[in-house]
Amino acid sequence: MSDREEAGGEASPKFRRRKEARPDELLDAALDLFTEQGFDRTTVEQIARRAGVSKGALYLYFPSKDAVIEALVDRAVGPVVGEVVIQIERFEGDPRVLLKRFVPLFAARLSDPRIVAVPKLVVREAVSHPRLAEMYRERVIGRVLPALATLFRQGVAGGHIRPVDPEMAVRSLLGPVLMHVILADVFGIRAEGVTPGDIGLARLFDTHLTIFCAGLDPAPVQEAPHG
Amino acid sequence: MSDREEAGGEASPKFRRRKEARPDELLDAALDLFTEQGFDRTTVEQIARRAGVSKGALYLYFPSKDAVIEALVDRAVGPVVGEVVIQIERFEGDPRVLLKRFVPLFAARLSDPRIVAVPKLVVREAVSHPRLAEMYRERVIGRVLPALATLFRQGVAGGHIRPVDPEMAVRSLLGPVLMHVILADVFGIRAEGVTPGDIGLARLFDTHLTIFCAGLDPAPVQEAPHG
DNA sequence: AAAAACTAACTGACCAGTCATTTATTTAAT
DNA sequence: ATTAAATAAATGACTGGTCAGTTAGTTTTT
């Protein structure tokens, strides 16, 4: 076992210099640990160890522990939006057509634990790290919500769907899905016969979209909505 | 002002013995602080000070800091359910009638910050305090979800609503509301012309229930739900 | 005077961030 | 090619501060 020196073989180096790869490795390790334990209960030493370096090394790449979680969210928040929003904005016609087109993309995104981990983290740590929530609001929520609201507004104007408050219709659409993602593992809500979150998500998508889309049908103009 | 000693007047006592009132005062203080700062960043000293006692006094009533948050959730989790679940379970007929009947009650509950603070806290701290999530699951979620699922199942069987997966329909119903409650202050999502969370909630209820209830209409049997 | 409620000072553990030192890699000279 | 100096990457021991929980002693009530 003692292949330290001599013994003819190579001396295995104690560490390697890999400046390029470190930051991402550290962020990956941090995301895992923050997800498992939360930010406050994760030590910088733990992050460094899981990334295979010492605590001191982490401080070569990040000025503070706070900077780590911010970089984490920053890294995750970029590639999410962009193209999608543009497609939503320039669409014309029945909003439900577009929704159904995007279902597979959404479902795939939401089934990847490393992707959903970030918004969950933001929700949990927002109180002590307002900048995280701000980033997410500016670069994700603040772009997707208005785009979808416009989509519905235009759908109402074109007579494709029943006249509804567009901003609230967006919440009606996204609420069940986001709720499921955030709460599923917190409360371990497993519907009957569901092993991983995946199948449950598919079932939810199916049922919810059925109800939601049917609910948007332009009313047959037969009775007032409430007594 | 210096009525400390002598001076003929009463010496104002440094503290009073009020064994009965202390626990609730401590829990109230703790809930405020946990909500503002999160569990980990709130010190026992802060809780005690806000309740008007010293740190040592807190330990006369609670064996640990963890015990405080558990007592907090325990206290809040009892009176929520009970009567409501029973009424849901014994209802027969169109589920939407019952839903509309309960809207004012729900809206009132969800508009009270001291009430919604607890589930929000549970969601945030569940990772480091699994027992909180367990309590909430057992005594609230695990009772309300099945009751509502049964309500929908029976509604389907009676032909009052379109045939949907009952468990998923429940998520479709509650998702937007819970999402709003949990995310509204995290991301400061303020729809146009909404000052406090109250008005936004009313608008959301209105729009969502319109869509949801219309979406449950027994289909006019004209086309298959998806291509 | 006795008991109960409460306080304030204390302790031991933990941890973010620093820094003097060690190890790996590159460059340049032989 | 081989080796030595220079530089860059990484280590790990250390520090200062914080905080949960304890306890000896004080104040209030009976």
Side-chain angles (χ1 to χ4, degrees), chain A residues 157-174:
Chain A
H160 299 101
I161 58 174
R162 158 199 311 257
V164 288
D165 182 331
E167 295 189 334
M168 296 302 143
V170 174
R171 289 160 171 72
S172 197
L173 169 68
L174 299 181

Side-chain angles (χ1 to χ4, degrees), chain B residues 14-15 22 26 44-61:
Chain B
K14 268 189 182 169
F15 60 86
R22 293 299 188 213
L26 286 163
V44 173
E45 175 77 32
Q46 285 179 314
I47 299 171
R49 279 286 168 255
R50 184 168 299 201
V53 297
S54 68
K55 177 159 66 153
L58 183 146
Y59 282 96
L60 294 173
Y61 299 104

Side-chain angles (χ1 to χ4, degrees), chain A residues 149-164:
Chain A
T150 302
L151 180 75
F152 285 131
R153 190 172 298 113
Q154 163 263 320
V156 169
H160 299 101
I161 58 174
R162 158 199 311 257
V164 288

Side-chain angles (χ1 to χ4, degrees), chain B residues 16 18 22-23 35 44 76 82 103 106 119 126 133 140 142 145:
Chain B
R16 254 168 253 178
R18 305 188 306 120
R22 293 299 188 213
T35 301
V44 173
V103 165
F106 271 166
V140 180
L145 281 196

